[in-house]
Every structure is written in structure tokens, then in C-alpha cells.
Amino acid sequence: MDDSCAVCAENLQWVAYGFCGHREVCSTCVVRLRFILGDRRCCICKTECPVAFVTKEFGDYTKTITDFSTFPSDPKEGRVGGSFWYHEETKVFFDDFNQYTRIKSMCRLSCTSCDKAKKGSKSNHRLRFKSVEHLKDHLNHQHNLHMCSLCLVGRKVFICEQKLFTKDQLNQHISSGDSEVDGSESERGGFTGHPMCEFCKRPFYGGNELYTHMSREHYTCHICQRLRPGKYEYYGNYDDLEAHFRSDHFLCEDESCLAKKFIVFQIEAELKRHNTVDHSGRMSRSQQSASFQTQAGFQVQNTRRGRRRSYQASYAIDDGYPLLQPMSSSGGSHLGEASFPPLSMQANHGQTRLGQNSESNTMTTHPRHQTNRSAAAGSSRAWPALNRRPTQASVPSSIQSSSASAFPQGARNEHTTVGGSSSGSSLNPGNAKRNHHKSSTAKLSDTGSLE
């Protein structure tokens, strides 16, 4: 077993353990935890130990007690059971009287200066102090010494282990931590003074205490914390934080939102949406539409020339319907047909076949599907290539004869009615004849030549 304490790393001379039997911690550390922090768990296995036993450390020959029921169930301060001494405040049993008195004096409020002065004298009289404040007044008036109030609260040690400073040493200890009492750099263990709140000009024991104070008493920007995690910027009061909101973010300037506080947004679009939703009663319709406008951009690459053009578009939402405002390119030119990619080869091939069939045979368009002149006119405007086919009168008679011979008589009757009536022909041969007589003179002459 190692001969040093598992907590303070000092040499093991006296050990303290509970019924779990771990003997790796010195008696001073165990009593300190039980007396100052109120922690009665084992430092090794964290087992709750109602009572503990302190004895001299002899390695494998250390006195071991496995049955703690041998101790009195309701002991009092002092000697119990003939060979043990009991400390009531820490609930610890001792098998040595000198160690018992030493631990008892460490737990008592005492003046270390007076104890050192009376150490060589025969007088065993010691002053008793009712409280820590009483002890601090005694040190100040009798010895002109001071305790660091921050260390008194934050440094979890016995009162006799607290350091005593003069006035100048105390100020140096708080500001830089390198006073004569603090010792060398290795003895300070990286201590550089107590951190101070720049707003309150008040020191704190350590960084955790300062962080708690800043989080409770001062303000931080939640947007900046979200954008830059791990970086903390504090503001002394809300007025300073509001000025930061106004300069670096987008603050709602409405009186009701200013009274609520923290109504601030990261981007301008969020502020516009907030104004439209929460303050729309004080906005006109044009202002509402303007508040929903959002700038967007995209790029179109010409695969043939390898050049790119950037375009900016402004979108607005009005009554739930998106409205696309005129777009303009970054170069100042408007979008044209050449700005969009060409149609696929399959679509172009279909359009070519449709144009060829229209030029060679006009009977591919059936009249019963064209029930509206306006629809036919709109279709012709949508497909300009179909309007460039030659008229029937200009088609050579040989082509007309070959096309007429490729279809039955009923189909030729339907074709005859295209020029005469837009309502279409019936499948009844009689109706087809009547429609045939109603056709125009030019169409009759053409039909007669075909027959």
C-alpha cells in the first residue's frame, strides 16, 4: 500500500476509515470533510459512513476494526469504552488521546498567534471565541492582522489553517496573489489573485463564483451567445444591452415591445415578420406587403459558352399569395428566352414530328376536338411553328391525292367540313353529305379534284 494520502498527498501517519475498510486517506482530510463540508462518505468508494475510526498507520499492521457495532451506540464527547475517545462534532473514534486532542483543537475557533505565543509557556489557558467575527476582531485589534474574507468562505480548511495578512499584504493577495504570505509560485499553485467584477468593482473567490454573480446580476446577449458559443460578453445593465441590440441586431422599437424587453431579432426578415404579425393594426396594406419582401438571387450557367449570369429577384407575400416582382440581372439586362436552357432532345423531336405532319397532312387535327375558336387561336399562339405550315390551296394536287387515298371516305368527309364549319361533322354518312354541300367553293373544287 502507498504511504501517502490519496487526497492531500502528504505522508500517511494517521489514517481514518469507516466500516468499508479503505485506509488510503489521512485523518486530517477525513475530519476536514466531515466537519467543514458535512460529507460523511468514504473518499474512495463513496459509501456513507455514520462513524469513522482513526488510528496510527503501520502499513499491513495497521489496527483494523471490521465490526463497528463494538463501539457504543450513543457515545458522548470524551473517553468511551475504556480505550477509545470520541469527537462528537465529527462522529469519529480515536484510539490515541494526543491525536484526539489535536483534531479537537483544529475544529475549535482559536487564534493561531496566541497559540504560538503560549506554546513555550506553561500556561494552558486559551481564549474561546463565540464566532468568526469575534475572532476577526481579536486579530485586528490585538495583532493588527486580517483574514481574507473570500478565502474564509471559499477555501475549505480549518480556521487555524487560514492565512493571516497585514493590510498591505491583504490588498496584494487579492489583486495579484503574490504576497509574502502566499509563498512561492509553486506553493501558490497557480493562484493569481481573486477575480473582480469590472461593473461592481467587487472581488470573488474564484471563476465559478464570478460566473454565478455575472449571470445573476448582469446581462448577456443571447443572440451573440448563439452565434459565438463559449464566448461571454456581459453588460452592466439593460440599458447598455439595449444599446447593443440597437447597434448590432434588429430591435423592435415599438413602445410595448420596449417595455417587455428582449424583443430583438438576428436578421431583418424576422423583425419584419414580427411587425406584420404583432403590429399589423398600425400598418397600411402597402407597408404590410413591403414588410414581407425578401431578396433572393440565383445563377444561370450557359453550358455552350461556359459563362454565368447572376440575377436578383424580389419576392413579396400578400394575403398568402406569392407575387413575383420584375427581375433584373446584375448586368442590367432583362431575362429573355435565351437566358433559359433549351428544351430536351425528346421534346424537340416531338415538335418536329408535329410540324411535319401538319405540313404534309392537315387531317391530323380532328374538328371534334376544336369546339372553341378562341381555344384554337390560343393554341396557335402558343405554338408558332404550327402557323407556318402551307395552306391547303397551296399544296400540290399530287400530294393531296396521295394523302386522300391513304384514308377512308368517312375521313375525307370530316376533312371537308374543316373549312366549312367549326362545329365538326357527324359519323352519319347523310350528315357528312349535307356538311359537304355547306362547304366553301374553294373547298368544293379541291374536294372534287381529290375524288
Side-chain angles (χ1 to χ4, degrees):
M1 185 177 58
D2 194 7
D3 57 351
S4 62
C5 175
V7 176
C8 65
E10 298 289 342
N11 292 332
L12 275 176
Q13 295 181 359
W14 297 87
V15 296
Y17 59 90
F19 63 87
C20 59
H22 292 105
R23 304 189 299 270
E24 289 82 6
V25 184
C26 67
S27 60
T28 304
C29 291
V30 171
V31 173
R32 185 187 294 116
L33 289 173
R34 298 174 73 92
F35 179 73
I36 298 176
L37 299 178
D39 188 0
R40 298 182 179 181
R41 297 176 298 172
C42 174
C43 298
I44 306 301
C45 64
K46 304 302 179 184
T47 301
E48 188 73 19
C49 299
V51 295
F53 177 67
V54 174
T55 185
K56 186 73 174 178
E57 201 277 327
F58 291 109
D60 295 337
Y61 301 97
T62 302
K63 186 176 182 179
T64 303
I65 296 179
T66 57
D67 187 8
F68 277 71
S69 61
T70 57
F71 293 116
S73 59
D74 189 16
K76 301 296 182 182
E77 180 74 29
R79 188 169 185 174
V80 293
S83 59
F84 298 103
W85 286 263
Y86 178 72
H87 187 224
E88 187 173 3
E89 291 183 282
T90 58
K91 298 187 181 304
V92 175
F93 289 92
F94 299 84
D95 62 353
D96 185 86
F97 176 74
N98 293 329
Q99 182 67 9
Y100 163 71
T101 55
R102 188 180 77 85
I103 295 295
K104 184 177 180 180
S105 62
M106 293 176 66
C107 297
R108 185 175 56 241
L109 292 176
S110 60
C111 175
T112 55
S113 298
C114 295
D115 293 341
K116 290 178 181 180
K118 296 178 181 179
K119 193 173 183 179
S121 63
K122 298 181 180 181
S123 176
N124 294 327
H125 177 71
R126 292 185 177 182
L127 295 176
R128 296 183 178 273
F129 302 95
K130 299 179 181 179
S131 63
V132 177
E133 295 297 329
H134 186 197
L135 175 61
K136 291 171 66 176
D137 292 340
H138 167 78
L139 291 171
N140 185 21
H141 292 89
Q142 297 296 328
H143 307 286
N144 197 20
L145 295 175
H146 306 272
M147 285 185 180
C148 177
S149 58
L150 300 175
C151 294
L152 197 61
V153 176
R155 190 165 175 248
K156 305 301 181 182
V157 294
F158 295 107
I159 290 294
C160 60
E161 295 176 333
Q162 294 287 351
K163 297 179 179 180
L164 302 179
F165 306 89
T166 62
K167 188 77 172 176
D168 296 337
Q169 291 175 346
L170 179 61
N171 294 333
Q172 188 177 358
H173 162 78
I174 294 176
S175 60
S176 59
D178 57 353
S179 65
E180 182 180 354
V181 180
D182 292 318
S184 62
E185 184 176 358
S186 60
E187 293 176 345
R188 294 195 297 268
F191 177 72
T192 58
H194 297 292
M196 182 174 295
C197 175
E198 298 297 334
F199 303 111
C200 304
K201 302 301 179 182
R202 173 186 168 190
F204 292 86
Y205 178 74
N208 293 335
E209 290 76 10
L210 177 62
Y211 174 77
T212 302
H213 165 77
M214 300 295 285
S215 301
R216 292 179 177 178
E217 303 297 332
H218 303 292
Y219 296 87
T220 59
C221 176
H222 58 282
I223 297 179
C224 293
Q225 283 187 344
R226 184 169 61 249
L227 296 176
R228 298 184 293 272
K231 185 178 180 180
Y232 298 94
E233 295 182 0
Y234 294 91
Y235 301 88
N237 49 51
Y238 184 77
D239 293 337
D240 297 338
L241 180 61
E242 187 177 276
H244 165 73
F245 287 157
R246 188 174 285 108
S247 61
D248 295 353
H249 304 298
F250 297 91
L251 179 68
C252 181
E253 300 290 349
D254 187 82
E255 294 182 359
S256 59
C257 291
L258 291 177
K260 293 178 182 178
K261 298 181 179 181
F262 293 98
I263 308 298
V264 63
F265 304 92
Q266 181 178 346
I267 58 177
E268 187 178 6
E270 295 178 353
L271 177 60
K272 289 183 177 181
R273 182 183 181 278
H274 163 76
N275 289 331
T276 305
V277 173
D278 294 347
H279 309 303
S280 59
R282 288 172 253 179
M283 301 173 62
S284 63
R285 188 177 182 84
S286 60
Q287 290 176 341
Q288 294 181 18
S289 300
S291 63
F292 276 110
Q293 289 184 359
T294 304
Q295 295 292 331
F298 62 94
Q299 289 184 347
V300 177
Q301 182 176 7
N302 191 341
T303 57
R304 296 180 179 179
R305 299 181 180 179
R307 293 184 299 178
R308 293 184 178 180
R309 291 185 178 181
S310 300
Y311 300 93
Q312 296 291 334
S314 178
Y315 295 90
I317 300 177
D318 189 6
D319 295 335
Y321 296 94
L323 301 177
L324 181 61
Q325 296 183 356
M327 298 182 294
S328 61
S329 65
S330 60
S333 61
H334 293 280
L335 288 174
E337 294 183 0
S339 301
F340 296 92
L343 297 176
S344 62
M345 296 301 297
Q346 183 178 1
N348 294 337
H349 181 65
Q351 294 181 12
T352 304
R353 293 180 58 186
L354 180 60
Q356 291 176 356
N357 292 338
S358 300
E359 292 176 358
S360 62
N361 188 2
T362 58
M363 294 180 65
T364 56
T365 305
H366 297 282
R368 61 175 173 268
H369 296 294
Q370 299 180 358
T371 58
N372 193 337
R373 292 177 180 268
S374 61
S379 176
S380 64
R381 288 193 300 270
W383 297 90
L386 297 180
N387 294 334
R388 291 193 293 269
R389 66 179 181 271
T391 60
Q392 189 176 2
S394 64
V395 177
S397 60
S398 61
I399 298 176
Q400 294 180 7
S401 299
S402 62
S403 62
S405 61
F407 295 93
Q409 183 67 25
R412 291 200 300 272
N413 291 335
E414 292 180 1
H415 166 70
T416 306
T417 59
V418 174
S421 175
S422 63
S423 61
S425 63
S426 174
L427 295 177
N428 192 348
N431 293 336
K433 291 181 180 181
R434 286 194 296 272
N435 292 334
H436 173 71
H437 290 294
K438 293 179 181 179
S439 61
S440 63
T441 306
K443 294 299 180 179
L444 285 174
S445 62
D446 294 339
T447 306
S449 63
L450 290 173
E451 292 178 351

